[in-house]
Amino acid sequence: MGQCGITSSKTVLVFLNLIFWAAAGILCYIGAYVFITYDDYDHFFEDVYTLIPAIIIIAVGTLLFIIGLIGCCATIRESSCGLATFAAILLLVFVTECVVVVLGYTYRAKVENEVNHSIQKVYNEYNGTNTDAPSRAIDYVQRQLHCCGIHNYSDWRNTHWFKESKNNSVPVSCCQPSIINCSGTLTRPADLYQEGCEALVVKKLKEIMMYVIWAALTFASIQMLGMLCACVVLCRRGHDPAYELLVTTNSYA
């Protein structure tokens, strides 16, 4: 009966190691996605420490490749030292992912204040040229999020670009794609996106941070199961005298 329990635990461990390899790829993808998305919105969010959870996620993903290798070798060879190392590293990664969750919630709460603080400055730096980084960032955000201005399109009246251009229009990135020959003129406000960008940028950044949080929580749960199975194999092996290592058996074969 004990032998059957150990075998079941080892089978689960091997399966979990395969999941760890898949999880490593997923975590690295999520971390890279956060980096790429942050690059599109970095003018609206000045606190670079927000990237810390993404950096940790990528590091954990890389570590999971190593964990999966150690776990597979230790399970197949039924090495007590290997299984103990496997469980210890899993515990370390579990704690790290708990830190990621805490940091994710902390920085998620700071997003709104950060965006509110920087968005007015970015809009004031707009000059309408593709060579200017703030201008590219604003045009990108307005097209991607289907928004115009900070709270609505009328906010453009207060920008330096609007006052200097003196053409009573907003950037064409405010134009709805369904409108043909839209020039951004304020005499035809129905042609423009009606919603402001501030709330949508905050929503987008919070969604990105939630991806990190949920990924960390999901894989932390899987790692808990891995630690449990490793401990079961180690404990049963230590207390069941009828249990013999496969490695020992194979050495006599």
Side-chain angles (χ1 to χ4, degrees):
M1 190 72 178
Q3 183 75 15
C4 181
I6 294 173
T7 303
S8 299
S9 297
K10 288 192 296 181
T11 303
V12 173
L13 265 178
V14 172
F15 179 69
L16 284 174
N17 287 320
L18 297 177
I19 292 179
F20 290 153
W21 280 330
I26 295 172
L27 287 176
C28 289
Y29 171 80
I30 292 173
Y33 171 76
V34 172
F35 268 100
I36 293 170
T37 308
Y38 178 86
D39 187 57
D40 295 329
Y41 294 88
D42 62 346
H43 286 85
F44 302 94
F45 202 86
E46 298 176 351
D47 189 355
V48 295
Y49 294 106
T50 309
L51 288 175
I52 289 178
I55 295 172
I56 297 176
I57 280 289
I58 292 176
V60 168
T62 304
L63 186 59
L64 279 179
F65 279 111
I66 302 172
I67 290 174
L69 182 61
I70 293 174
C72 275
C73 292
T75 305
I76 293 172
R77 293 179 59 83
E78 300 183 8
S79 166
S80 298
C81 180
L83 285 172
T85 303
F86 175 69
I89 296 176
L90 277 183
L91 178 61
L92 176 62
V93 173
F94 175 78
V95 172
T96 303
E97 289 187 332
C98 289
V99 172
V100 169
V101 172
V102 173
L103 288 176
Y105 273 109
T106 301
Y107 289 122
R108 189 173 183 271
K110 294 173 62 178
V111 164
E112 190 166 357
N113 289 334
E114 285 285 335
V115 173
N116 292 344
H117 178 263
S118 60
I119 195 168
Q120 183 67 58
K121 176 184 175 183
V122 178
Y123 269 83
N124 280 331
E125 292 176 352
Y126 185 87
N127 63 19
T129 62
N130 286 330
T131 56
D132 181 61
S135 298
R136 289 199 309 271
I138 288 174
D139 286 333
Y140 173 83
V141 166
Q142 291 189 153
R143 288 193 179 99
Q144 290 295 313
L145 301 184
H146 297 173
C147 58
C148 184
I150 299 174
H151 303 102
N152 54 57
Y153 60 82
S154 64
D155 292 324
W156 278 103
R157 297 181 186 273
N158 302 319
T159 63
H160 298 314
W161 175 82
F162 184 90
K163 294 173 182 176
E164 292 173 1
S165 61
K166 298 179 181 179
N167 59 5
N168 195 38
S169 65
V170 298
V172 292
S173 58
C174 283
C175 293
Q176 299 186 43
S178 59
I179 305 299
I180 301 175
N181 297 326
C182 175
S183 62
T185 177
L186 290 178
T187 58
R188 299 183 60 182
D191 294 353
L192 310 174
Y193 293 124
Q194 303 299 304
E195 194 169 358
C197 294
E198 182 179 45
L200 294 178
V201 169
V202 169
K203 180 182 177 182
K204 182 68 174 179
L205 291 173
K206 285 187 174 182
E207 284 178 355
I208 294 169
M209 201 56 66
M210 280 305 300
Y211 294 152
V212 174
I213 292 170
W214 280 112
L217 284 174
T218 301
F219 293 116
S221 302
I222 295 173
Q223 284 153 24
M224 277 290 289
L225 182 58
M227 284 188 290
L228 179 62
C229 290
C231 290
V232 167
V233 172
L234 284 170
C235 291
R236 291 268 181 97
R237 179 182 177 277
H239 293 88
D240 189 352
Y243 179 67
E244 295 182 359
L245 293 177
L246 288 176
V247 177
T248 306
T249 303
N250 289 338
S251 64
Y252 288 109

mmCIF file of all heavy atoms in Angstrom, residues 17-64:
data_model
loop_
_atom_site.group_PDB
_atom_site.id
_atom_site.type_symbol
_atom_site.label_atom_id
_atom_site.label_comp_id
_atom_site.label_asym_id
_atom_site.label_seq_id
_atom_site.Cartn_x
_atom_site.Cartn_y
_atom_site.Cartn_z
ATOM 1 N N ASN A 17 6.787 18.167 -13.129
ATOM 2 C CA ASN A 17 8.025 18.671 -13.729
ATOM 3 C C ASN A 17 7.800 19.103 -15.175
ATOM 4 O O ASN A 17 8.360 20.107 -15.626
ATOM 5 C CB ASN A 17 9.126 17.615 -13.667
ATOM 6 C CG ASN A 17 9.662 17.433 -12.259
ATOM 7 O OD1 ASN A 17 9.835 18.405 -11.544
ATOM 8 N ND2 ASN A 17 9.913 16.199 -11.863
ATOM 9 N N LEU A 18 6.978 18.356 -15.888
ATOM 10 C CA LEU A 18 6.633 18.740 -17.254
ATOM 11 C C LEU A 18 5.842 20.054 -17.244
ATOM 12 O O LEU A 18 6.035 20.919 -18.110
ATOM 13 C CB LEU A 18 5.815 17.631 -17.933
ATOM 14 C CG LEU A 18 6.531 16.282 -18.113
ATOM 15 C CD1 LEU A 18 5.585 15.247 -18.726
ATOM 16 C CD2 LEU A 18 7.773 16.454 -18.992
ATOM 17 N N ILE A 19 4.959 20.183 -16.256
ATOM 18 C CA ILE A 19 4.189 21.430 -16.121
ATOM 19 C C ILE A 19 5.125 22.596 -15.810
ATOM 20 O O ILE A 19 4.943 23.711 -16.305
ATOM 21 C CB ILE A 19 3.116 21.291 -15.022
ATOM 22 C CG1 ILE A 19 2.045 20.288 -15.461
ATOM 23 C CG2 ILE A 19 2.472 22.641 -14.719
ATOM 24 C CD1 ILE A 19 0.961 20.057 -14.431
ATOM 25 N N PHE A 20 6.165 22.338 -14.988
ATOM 26 C CA PHE A 20 7.115 23.406 -14.647
ATOM 27 C C PHE A 20 7.818 23.938 -15.894
ATOM 28 O O PHE A 20 8.045 25.135 -16.025
ATOM 29 C CB PHE A 20 8.148 22.901 -13.638
ATOM 30 C CG PHE A 20 7.593 22.657 -12.268
ATOM 31 C CD1 PHE A 20 8.171 21.721 -11.424
ATOM 32 C CD2 PHE A 20 6.496 23.361 -11.812
ATOM 33 C CE1 PHE A 20 7.664 21.491 -10.153
ATOM 34 C CE2 PHE A 20 5.976 23.134 -10.549
ATOM 35 C CZ PHE A 20 6.563 22.200 -9.725
ATOM 36 N N TRP A 21 8.158 23.036 -16.805
ATOM 37 C CA TRP A 21 8.816 23.486 -18.044
ATOM 38 C C TRP A 21 7.863 24.352 -18.872
ATOM 39 O O TRP A 21 8.256 25.367 -19.430
ATOM 40 C CB TRP A 21 9.297 22.276 -18.852
ATOM 41 C CG TRP A 21 10.593 21.721 -18.342
ATOM 42 C CD1 TRP A 21 11.594 22.415 -17.729
ATOM 43 C CD2 TRP A 21 11.027 20.359 -18.395
ATOM 44 N NE1 TRP A 21 12.622 21.576 -17.388
ATOM 45 C CE2 TRP A 21 12.318 20.298 -17.782
ATOM 46 C CE3 TRP A 21 10.474 19.191 -18.894
ATOM 47 C CZ2 TRP A 21 13.037 19.122 -17.671
ATOM 48 C CZ3 TRP A 21 11.189 18.014 -18.777
ATOM 49 C CH2 TRP A 21 12.460 17.980 -18.180
ATOM 50 N N ALA A 22 6.608 23.910 -18.942
ATOM 51 C CA ALA A 22 5.614 24.708 -19.670
ATOM 52 C C ALA A 22 5.387 26.045 -18.956
ATOM 53 O O ALA A 22 5.290 27.106 -19.593
ATOM 54 C CB ALA A 22 4.299 23.938 -19.778
ATOM 55 N N ALA A 23 5.336 25.990 -17.613
ATOM 56 C CA ALA A 23 5.130 27.199 -16.822
ATOM 57 C C ALA A 23 6.276 28.184 -16.998
ATOM 58 O O ALA A 23 6.071 29.405 -17.032
ATOM 59 C CB ALA A 23 4.983 26.838 -15.338
ATOM 60 N N ALA A 24 7.488 27.651 -17.127
ATOM 61 C CA ALA A 24 8.652 28.520 -17.320
ATOM 62 C C ALA A 24 8.498 29.350 -18.588
ATOM 63 O O ALA A 24 8.754 30.560 -18.597
ATOM 64 C CB ALA A 24 9.924 27.674 -17.393
ATOM 65 N N GLY A 25 8.061 28.699 -19.665
ATOM 66 C CA GLY A 25 7.844 29.427 -20.912
ATOM 67 C C GLY A 25 6.743 30.452 -20.788
ATOM 68 O O GLY A 25 6.867 31.588 -21.281
ATOM 69 N N ILE A 26 5.655 30.088 -20.108
ATOM 70 C CA ILE A 26 4.526 31.009 -19.940
ATOM 71 C C ILE A 26 4.926 32.220 -19.104
ATOM 72 O O ILE A 26 4.592 33.371 -19.437
ATOM 73 C CB ILE A 26 3.331 30.282 -19.291
ATOM 74 C CG1 ILE A 26 2.798 29.199 -20.242
ATOM 75 C CG2 ILE A 26 2.222 31.263 -18.938
ATOM 76 C CD1 ILE A 26 1.755 28.303 -19.619
ATOM 77 N N LEU A 27 5.649 31.983 -18.006
ATOM 78 C CA LEU A 27 6.065 33.087 -17.139
ATOM 79 C C LEU A 27 7.010 34.042 -17.864
ATOM 80 O O LEU A 27 6.897 35.266 -17.736
ATOM 81 C CB LEU A 27 6.737 32.534 -15.879
ATOM 82 C CG LEU A 27 5.813 31.877 -14.853
ATOM 83 C CD1 LEU A 27 6.625 31.293 -13.706
ATOM 84 C CD2 LEU A 27 4.801 32.871 -14.307
ATOM 85 N N CYS A 28 7.948 33.486 -18.631
ATOM 86 C CA CYS A 28 8.863 34.338 -19.399
ATOM 87 C C CYS A 28 8.097 35.150 -20.438
ATOM 88 O O CYS A 28 8.398 36.326 -20.675
ATOM 89 C CB CYS A 28 9.937 33.494 -20.085
ATOM 90 S SG CYS A 28 11.161 32.805 -18.932
ATOM 91 N N TYR A 29 7.082 34.524 -21.052
ATOM 92 C CA TYR A 29 6.255 35.241 -22.036
ATOM 93 C C TYR A 29 5.507 36.389 -21.369
ATOM 94 O O TYR A 29 5.456 37.505 -21.905
ATOM 95 C CB TYR A 29 5.269 34.275 -22.685
ATOM 96 C CG TYR A 29 4.234 34.967 -23.544
ATOM 97 C CD1 TYR A 29 4.536 35.373 -24.844
ATOM 98 C CD2 TYR A 29 2.957 35.232 -23.046
ATOM 99 C CE1 TYR A 29 3.596 36.013 -25.624
ATOM 100 C CE2 TYR A 29 2.007 35.878 -23.818
ATOM 101 C CZ TYR A 29 2.337 36.274 -25.110
ATOM 102 O OH TYR A 29 1.404 36.919 -25.867
ATOM 103 N N ILE A 30 4.914 36.126 -20.190
ATOM 104 C CA ILE A 30 4.169 37.164 -19.485
ATOM 105 C C ILE A 30 5.090 38.312 -19.090
ATOM 106 O O ILE A 30 4.760 39.490 -19.240
ATOM 107 C CB ILE A 30 3.464 36.585 -18.239
ATOM 108 C CG1 ILE A 30 2.345 35.634 -18.669
ATOM 109 C CG2 ILE A 30 2.891 37.697 -17.364
ATOM 110 C CD1 ILE A 30 1.701 34.886 -17.523
ATOM 111 N N GLY A 31 6.285 37.968 -18.578
ATOM 112 C CA GLY A 31 7.244 39.009 -18.205
ATOM 113 C C GLY A 31 7.659 39.851 -19.396
ATOM 114 O O GLY A 31 7.727 41.080 -19.314
ATOM 115 N N ALA A 32 7.912 39.185 -20.536
ATOM 116 C CA ALA A 32 8.291 39.919 -21.751
ATOM 117 C C ALA A 32 7.143 40.788 -22.235
ATOM 118 O O ALA A 32 7.351 41.930 -22.683
ATOM 119 C CB ALA A 32 8.701 38.936 -22.844
ATOM 120 N N TYR A 33 5.903 40.275 -22.126
ATOM 121 C CA TYR A 33 4.724 41.056 -22.530
ATOM 122 C C TYR A 33 4.601 42.328 -21.699
ATOM 123 O O TYR A 33 4.293 43.404 -22.223
ATOM 124 C CB TYR A 33 3.468 40.193 -22.389
ATOM 125 C CG TYR A 33 2.178 40.965 -22.576
ATOM 126 C CD1 TYR A 33 1.752 41.333 -23.850
ATOM 127 C CD2 TYR A 33 1.388 41.329 -21.480
ATOM 128 C CE1 TYR A 33 0.575 42.046 -24.015
ATOM 129 C CE2 TYR A 33 0.216 42.035 -21.646
ATOM 130 C CZ TYR A 33 -0.190 42.389 -22.916
ATOM 131 O OH TYR A 33 -1.359 43.101 -23.074
ATOM 132 N N VAL A 34 4.853 42.205 -20.402
ATOM 133 C CA VAL A 34 4.786 43.383 -19.526
ATOM 134 C C VAL A 34 5.850 44.406 -19.928
ATOM 135 O O VAL A 34 5.579 45.613 -19.991
ATOM 136 C CB VAL A 34 4.968 42.976 -18.043
ATOM 137 C CG1 VAL A 34 5.093 44.205 -17.149
ATOM 138 C CG2 VAL A 34 3.797 42.117 -17.588
ATOM 139 N N PHE A 35 7.058 43.932 -20.221
ATOM 140 C CA PHE A 35 8.135 44.832 -20.645
ATOM 141 C C PHE A 35 7.759 45.573 -21.926
ATOM 142 O O PHE A 35 7.929 46.791 -22.038
ATOM 143 C CB PHE A 35 9.434 44.055 -20.863
ATOM 144 C CG PHE A 35 10.313 44.003 -19.656
ATOM 145 C CD1 PHE A 35 10.333 42.881 -18.846
ATOM 146 C CD2 PHE A 35 11.112 45.082 -19.314
ATOM 147 C CE1 PHE A 35 11.139 42.826 -17.722
ATOM 148 C CE2 PHE A 35 11.921 45.034 -18.191
ATOM 149 C CZ PHE A 35 11.941 43.901 -17.394
ATOM 150 N N ILE A 36 7.262 44.830 -22.917
ATOM 151 C CA ILE A 36 6.917 45.427 -24.209
ATOM 152 C C ILE A 36 5.781 46.433 -24.054
ATOM 153 O O ILE A 36 5.815 47.542 -24.611
ATOM 154 C CB ILE A 36 6.533 44.325 -25.217
ATOM 155 C CG1 ILE A 36 7.755 43.470 -25.542
ATOM 156 C CG2 ILE A 36 5.964 44.939 -26.502
ATOM 157 C CD1 ILE A 36 7.435 42.219 -26.334
ATOM 158 N N THR A 37 4.754 46.059 -23.283
ATOM 159 C CA THR A 37 3.617 46.958 -23.086
ATOM 160 C C THR A 37 4.031 48.188 -22.299
ATOM 161 O O THR A 37 3.594 49.306 -22.602
ATOM 162 C CB THR A 37 2.475 46.228 -22.358
ATOM 163 O OG1 THR A 37 2.189 45.007 -23.044
ATOM 164 C CG2 THR A 37 1.223 47.089 -22.298
ATOM 165 N N TYR A 38 4.883 47.981 -21.294
ATOM 166 C CA TYR A 38 5.357 49.121 -20.510
ATOM 167 C C TYR A 38 6.096 50.107 -21.407
ATOM 168 O O TYR A 38 5.988 51.331 -21.232
ATOM 169 C CB TYR A 38 6.281 48.645 -19.394
ATOM 170 C CG TYR A 38 6.857 49.786 -18.574
ATOM 171 C CD1 TYR A 38 6.170 50.314 -17.488
ATOM 172 C CD2 TYR A 38 8.098 50.338 -18.893
ATOM 173 C CE1 TYR A 38 6.686 51.357 -16.750
ATOM 174 C CE2 TYR A 38 8.627 51.389 -18.155
ATOM 175 C CZ TYR A 38 7.919 51.886 -17.087
ATOM 176 O OH TYR A 38 8.438 52.924 -16.367
ATOM 177 N N ASP A 39 6.832 49.603 -22.389
ATOM 178 C CA ASP A 39 7.573 50.468 -23.295
ATOM 179 C C ASP A 39 6.630 51.362 -24.098
ATOM 180 O O ASP A 39 6.977 52.495 -24.442
ATOM 181 C CB ASP A 39 8.418 49.614 -24.241
ATOM 182 C CG ASP A 39 9.345 50.456 -25.102
ATOM 183 O OD1 ASP A 39 10.149 51.210 -24.535
ATOM 184 O OD2 ASP A 39 9.256 50.357 -26.337
ATOM 185 N N ASP A 40 5.419 50.860 -24.386
ATOM 186 C CA ASP A 40 4.433 51.666 -25.113
ATOM 187 C C ASP A 40 3.795 52.738 -24.233
ATOM 188 O O ASP A 40 3.309 53.749 -24.747
ATOM 189 C CB ASP A 40 3.319 50.758 -25.667
ATOM 190 C CG ASP A 40 3.846 49.792 -26.718
ATOM 191 O OD1 ASP A 40 4.802 50.163 -27.423
ATOM 192 O OD2 ASP A 40 3.302 48.674 -26.829
ATOM 193 N N TYR A 41 3.793 52.503 -22.924
ATOM 194 C CA TYR A 41 3.104 53.425 -22.013
ATOM 195 C C TYR A 41 4.045 54.099 -21.015
ATOM 196 O O TYR A 41 3.589 54.737 -20.074
ATOM 197 C CB TYR A 41 2.022 52.663 -21.220
ATOM 198 C CG TYR A 41 0.894 52.139 -22.069
ATOM 199 C CD1 TYR A 41 0.970 50.886 -22.666
ATOM 200 C CD2 TYR A 41 -0.256 52.897 -22.288
ATOM 201 C CE1 TYR A 41 -0.060 50.403 -23.457
ATOM 202 C CE2 TYR A 41 -1.296 52.420 -23.065
ATOM 203 C CZ TYR A 41 -1.193 51.174 -23.655
ATOM 204 O OH TYR A 41 -2.211 50.699 -24.433
ATOM 205 N N ASP A 42 5.368 53.950 -21.231
ATOM 206 C CA ASP A 42 6.304 54.416 -20.212
ATOM 207 C C ASP A 42 6.283 55.926 -20.006
ATOM 208 O O ASP A 42 6.677 56.418 -18.947
ATOM 209 C CB ASP A 42 7.727 53.941 -20.526
ATOM 210 C CG ASP A 42 8.254 54.491 -21.839
ATOM 211 O OD1 ASP A 42 7.448 55.006 -22.630
ATOM 212 O OD2 ASP A 42 9.467 54.389 -22.078
ATOM 213 N N HIS A 43 5.830 56.695 -21.004
ATOM 214 C CA HIS A 43 5.752 58.152 -20.833
ATOM 215 C C HIS A 43 4.644 58.547 -19.855
ATOM 216 O O HIS A 43 4.664 59.643 -19.302
ATOM 217 C CB HIS A 43 5.507 58.832 -22.180
ATOM 218 C CG HIS A 43 6.710 58.851 -23.059
ATOM 219 N ND1 HIS A 43 7.046 57.787 -23.882
ATOM 220 C CD2 HIS A 43 7.686 59.773 -23.234
ATOM 221 C CE1 HIS A 43 8.159 58.069 -24.527
ATOM 222 N NE2 HIS A 43 8.572 59.258 -24.161
ATOM 223 N N PHE A 44 3.699 57.638 -19.634
ATOM 224 C CA PHE A 44 2.594 57.931 -18.731
ATOM 225 C C PHE A 44 2.826 57.378 -17.333
ATOM 226 O O PHE A 44 2.011 57.562 -16.446
ATOM 227 C CB PHE A 44 1.289 57.346 -19.284
ATOM 228 C CG PHE A 44 0.938 57.859 -20.651
ATOM 229 C CD1 PHE A 44 1.318 57.156 -21.782
ATOM 230 C CD2 PHE A 44 0.247 59.044 -20.802
ATOM 231 C CE1 PHE A 44 1.004 57.623 -23.039
ATOM 232 C CE2 PHE A 44 -0.080 59.529 -22.062
ATOM 233 C CZ PHE A 44 0.307 58.819 -23.183
ATOM 234 N N PHE A 45 3.964 56.681 -17.175
ATOM 235 C CA PHE A 45 4.231 56.045 -15.885
ATOM 236 C C PHE A 45 5.724 56.118 -15.626
ATOM 237 O O PHE A 45 6.500 55.389 -16.217
ATOM 238 C CB PHE A 45 3.749 54.586 -15.925
ATOM 239 C CG PHE A 45 3.484 54.003 -14.570
ATOM 240 C CD1 PHE A 45 2.266 54.174 -13.949
ATOM 241 C CD2 PHE A 45 4.468 53.292 -13.913
ATOM 242 C CE1 PHE A 45 2.019 53.631 -12.704
ATOM 243 C CE2 PHE A 45 4.231 52.740 -12.673
ATOM 244 C CZ PHE A 45 2.997 52.912 -12.071
ATOM 245 N N GLU A 46 6.131 57.019 -14.739
ATOM 246 C CA GLU A 46 7.545 57.324 -14.563
ATOM 247 C C GLU A 46 8.270 56.395 -13.595
ATOM 248 O O GLU A 46 9.489 56.345 -13.569
ATOM 249 C CB GLU A 46 7.705 58.774 -14.089
ATOM 250 C CG GLU A 46 7.180 59.793 -15.104
ATOM 251 C CD GLU A 46 7.250 61.212 -14.585
ATOM 252 O OE1 GLU A 46 7.538 61.379 -13.375
ATOM 253 O OE2 GLU A 46 7.018 62.137 -15.373
ATOM 254 N N ASP A 47 7.534 55.653 -12.788
ATOM 255 C CA ASP A 47 8.147 54.792 -11.768
ATOM 256 C C ASP A 47 8.626 53.484 -12.392
ATOM 257 O O ASP A 47 7.841 52.574 -12.627
ATOM 258 C CB ASP A 47 7.135 54.511 -10.651
ATOM 259 C CG ASP A 47 7.776 53.812 -9.457
ATOM 260 O OD1 ASP A 47 8.967 53.479 -9.541
ATOM 261 O OD2 ASP A 47 7.078 53.595 -8.454
ATOM 262 N N VAL A 48 9.927 53.410 -12.668
ATOM 263 C CA VAL A 48 10.478 52.202 -13.308
ATOM 264 C C VAL A 48 10.439 50.994 -12.383
ATOM 265 O O VAL A 48 10.560 49.856 -12.840
ATOM 266 C CB VAL A 48 11.934 52.435 -13.774
ATOM 267 C CG1 VAL A 48 11.986 53.475 -14.863
ATOM 268 C CG2 VAL A 48 12.830 52.832 -12.607
ATOM 269 N N TYR A 49 10.266 51.209 -11.078
ATOM 270 C CA TYR A 49 10.215 50.089 -10.140
ATOM 271 C C TYR A 49 8.979 49.223 -10.373
ATOM 272 O O TYR A 49 8.902 48.105 -9.855
ATOM 273 C CB TYR A 49 10.231 50.605 -8.701
ATOM 274 C CG TYR A 49 11.526 51.276 -8.323
ATOM 275 C CD1 TYR A 49 11.611 52.653 -8.188
ATOM 276 C CD2 TYR A 49 12.687 50.524 -8.141
ATOM 277 C CE1 TYR A 49 12.814 53.273 -7.859
ATOM 278 C CE2 TYR A 49 13.893 51.128 -7.809
ATOM 279 C CZ TYR A 49 13.945 52.507 -7.670
ATOM 280 O OH TYR A 49 15.132 53.104 -7.348
ATOM 281 N N THR A 50 8.033 49.733 -11.148
ATOM 282 C CA THR A 50 6.857 48.943 -11.491
ATOM 283 C C THR A 50 7.240 47.693 -12.259
ATOM 284 O O THR A 50 6.508 46.701 -12.279
ATOM 285 C CB THR A 50 5.885 49.792 -12.337
ATOM 286 O OG1 THR A 50 5.670 51.024 -11.671
ATOM 287 C CG2 THR A 50 4.561 49.093 -12.525
ATOM 288 N N LEU A 51 8.403 47.711 -12.896
ATOM 289 C CA LEU A 51 8.858 46.565 -13.683
ATOM 290 C C LEU A 51 9.460 45.458 -12.815
ATOM 291 O O LEU A 51 9.761 44.378 -13.324
ATOM 292 C CB LEU A 51 9.897 47.025 -14.715
ATOM 293 C CG LEU A 51 9.362 47.836 -15.893
ATOM 294 C CD1 LEU A 51 10.514 48.312 -16.764
ATOM 295 C CD2 LEU A 51 8.383 47.018 -16.717
ATOM 296 N N ILE A 52 9.649 45.723 -11.525
ATOM 297 C CA ILE A 52 10.263 44.719 -10.644
ATOM 298 C C ILE A 52 9.494 43.395 -10.655
ATOM 299 O O ILE A 52 10.099 42.323 -10.780
ATOM 300 C CB ILE A 52 10.402 45.266 -9.206
ATOM 301 C CG1 ILE A 52 11.490 46.353 -9.174
ATOM 302 C CG2 ILE A 52 10.744 44.147 -8.233
ATOM 303 C CD1 ILE A 52 11.675 46.993 -7.819
ATOM 304 N N PRO A 53 8.134 43.407 -10.529
ATOM 305 C CA PRO A 53 7.422 42.124 -10.591
ATOM 306 C C PRO A 53 7.664 41.371 -11.889
ATOM 307 O O PRO A 53 7.802 40.143 -11.888
ATOM 308 C CB PRO A 53 5.944 42.540 -10.457
ATOM 309 C CG PRO A 53 5.984 43.831 -9.715
ATOM 310 C CD PRO A 53 7.223 44.523 -10.209
ATOM 311 N N ALA A 54 7.734 42.106 -13.022
ATOM 312 C CA ALA A 54 7.976 41.455 -14.314
ATOM 313 C C ALA A 54 9.374 40.857 -14.367
ATOM 314 O O ALA A 54 9.580 39.753 -14.895
ATOM 315 C CB ALA A 54 7.791 42.459 -15.453
ATOM 316 N N ILE A 55 10.358 41.566 -13.813
ATOM 317 C CA ILE A 55 11.729 41.054 -13.776
ATOM 318 C C ILE A 55 11.800 39.766 -12.950
ATOM 319 O O ILE A 55 12.434 38.781 -13.350
ATOM 320 C CB ILE A 55 12.685 42.117 -13.191
ATOM 321 C CG1 ILE A 55 12.763 43.337 -14.125
ATOM 322 C CG2 ILE A 55 14.082 41.542 -12.975
ATOM 323 C CD1 ILE A 55 13.519 44.505 -13.545
ATOM 324 N N ILE A 56 11.124 39.785 -11.801
ATOM 325 C CA ILE A 56 11.117 38.603 -10.935
ATOM 326 C C ILE A 56 10.424 37.433 -11.642
ATOM 327 O O ILE A 56 10.875 36.281 -11.555
ATOM 328 C CB ILE A 56 10.431 38.913 -9.593
ATOM 329 C CG1 ILE A 56 11.217 39.982 -8.825
ATOM 330 C CG2 ILE A 56 10.311 37.651 -8.742
ATOM 331 C CD1 ILE A 56 10.553 40.426 -7.531
ATOM 332 N N ILE A 57 9.332 37.725 -12.347
ATOM 333 C CA ILE A 57 8.600 36.681 -13.065
ATOM 334 C C ILE A 57 9.497 36.009 -14.099
ATOM 335 O O ILE A 57 9.513 34.773 -14.247
ATOM 336 C CB ILE A 57 7.341 37.272 -13.738
ATOM 337 C CG1 ILE A 57 6.217 37.419 -12.718
ATOM 338 C CG2 ILE A 57 6.864 36.412 -14.896
ATOM 339 C CD1 ILE A 57 5.614 36.110 -12.261
ATOM 340 N N ILE A 58 10.265 36.800 -14.846
ATOM 341 C CA ILE A 58 11.174 36.238 -15.853
ATOM 342 C C ILE A 58 12.259 35.398 -15.174
ATOM 343 O O ILE A 58 12.619 34.314 -15.655
ATOM 344 C CB ILE A 58 11.803 37.363 -16.692
ATOM 345 C CG1 ILE A 58 10.731 38.023 -17.565
ATOM 346 C CG2 ILE A 58 12.926 36.815 -17.580
ATOM 347 C CD1 ILE A 58 11.227 39.211 -18.360
ATOM 348 N N ALA A 59 12.785 35.903 -14.036
ATOM 349 C CA ALA A 59 13.809 35.156 -13.293
ATOM 350 C C ALA A 59 13.243 33.829 -12.780
ATOM 351 O O ALA A 59 13.912 32.783 -12.866
ATOM 352 C CB ALA A 59 14.331 36.000 -12.132
ATOM 353 N N VAL A 60 12.004 33.865 -12.276
ATOM 354 C CA VAL A 60 11.361 32.643 -11.786
ATOM 355 C C VAL A 60 11.139 31.667 -12.943
ATOM 356 O O VAL A 60 11.346 30.455 -12.803
ATOM 357 C CB VAL A 60 10.019 32.978 -11.095
ATOM 358 C CG1 VAL A 60 9.207 31.710 -10.852
ATOM 359 C CG2 VAL A 60 10.267 33.683 -9.769
ATOM 360 N N GLY A 61 10.714 32.187 -14.100
ATOM 361 C CA GLY A 61 10.517 31.336 -15.265
ATOM 362 C C GLY A 61 11.796 30.630 -15.679
ATOM 363 O O GLY A 61 11.794 29.434 -15.995
ATOM 364 N N THR A 62 12.904 31.375 -15.661
ATOM 365 C CA THR A 62 14.202 30.773 -15.991
ATOM 366 C C THR A 62 14.578 29.704 -14.968
ATOM 367 O O THR A 62 15.072 28.618 -15.316
ATOM 368 C CB THR A 62 15.292 31.860 -16.022
ATOM 369 O OG1 THR A 62 14.907 32.888 -16.949
ATOM 370 C CG2 THR A 62 16.628 31.285 -16.448
ATOM 371 N N LEU A 63 14.326 30.010 -13.693
ATOM 372 C CA LEU A 63 14.647 29.065 -12.628
ATOM 373 C C LEU A 63 13.804 27.797 -12.726
ATOM 374 O O LEU A 63 14.269 26.697 -12.387
ATOM 375 C CB LEU A 63 14.448 29.735 -11.261
ATOM 376 C CG LEU A 63 14.884 28.942 -10.018
ATOM 377 C CD1 LEU A 63 16.372 28.604 -10.097
ATOM 378 C CD2 LEU A 63 14.592 29.754 -8.760
ATOM 379 N N LEU A 64 12.566 27.931 -13.221
ATOM 380 C CA LEU A 64 11.689 26.767 -13.335
ATOM 381 C C LEU A 64 12.226 25.735 -14.330
ATOM 382 O O LEU A 64 11.971 24.533 -14.184
ATOM 383 C CB LEU A 64 10.276 27.199 -13.741
ATOM 384 C CG LEU A 64 9.381 27.712 -12.613
ATOM 385 C CD1 LEU A 64 8.030 28.137 -13.147
ATOM 386 C CD2 LEU A 64 9.205 26.672 -11.517
#
